[in-house]
Amino acid sequence: MCEFDKITVTMDVLCEIAMDDGRMLAERQRAVDALTLFRESLQTLEYIFRKTDLDIIKQRAGLYIQRMKSGAHISMSAV
C-alpha cells in the first residue's frame, strides 16, 4: 500500500470515529484533533462540519478549518 493510500485510509477512519454517535465525546473530539496532523484533511474536516449533529464537534472542526484556510500552523495542543 502506498503512502497516499495509508493517509487516505487513516483520514477515513478518523472521520468515521468523529461522526459515530455511539462513541464518547472525547473520542470524537480526539479524532477531529488527529485529522489536523494531515495537510490533506481540509475536505474531511469540512465534511464533518457540514454533517455532524453535535455542536461541539462542529465548532471544533470549524475552528480548524478557519485556521487552516488562514495559513496558521495547527497543533493538536492548541485547543
Side-chain angles (χ1 to χ4, degrees), residues 19-58:
M19 298 298 294
D20 186 350
D21 291 337
R23 299 255 185 188
M24 291 180 11
L25 177 59
E27 290 177 293
R28 295 175 72 182
Q29 289 175 310
R30 297 303 177 257
V32 172
D33 293 344
L35 281 166
T36 65
L37 295 171
F38 304 98
R39 293 183 310 263
E40 305 89 346
S41 68
L42 183 60
Q43 288 181 339
T44 304
L45 288 166
E46 288 173 336
Y47 173 82
I48 292 168
F49 181 81
R50 284 191 318 272
K51 298 292 184 176
T52 189
D53 58 347
L54 199 58
D55 283 341
I56 194 158
I57 298 296
K58 182 181 283 276

Side-chain angles (χ1 to χ4, degrees), residues 9-22:
V9 169
T10 302
M11 289 191 316
D12 288 346
V13 170
L14 290 170
C15 182
E16 288 178 21
I17 292 169
M19 298 298 294
D20 186 350
D21 291 337

Side-chain angles (χ1 to χ4, degrees), residues 59-71:
Q59 290 170 356
R60 196 175 203 95
L63 176 64
Y64 286 135
I65 290 166
Q66 181 183 23
R67 288 182 180 176
M68 290 173 109
K69 286 184 175 180
S70 72

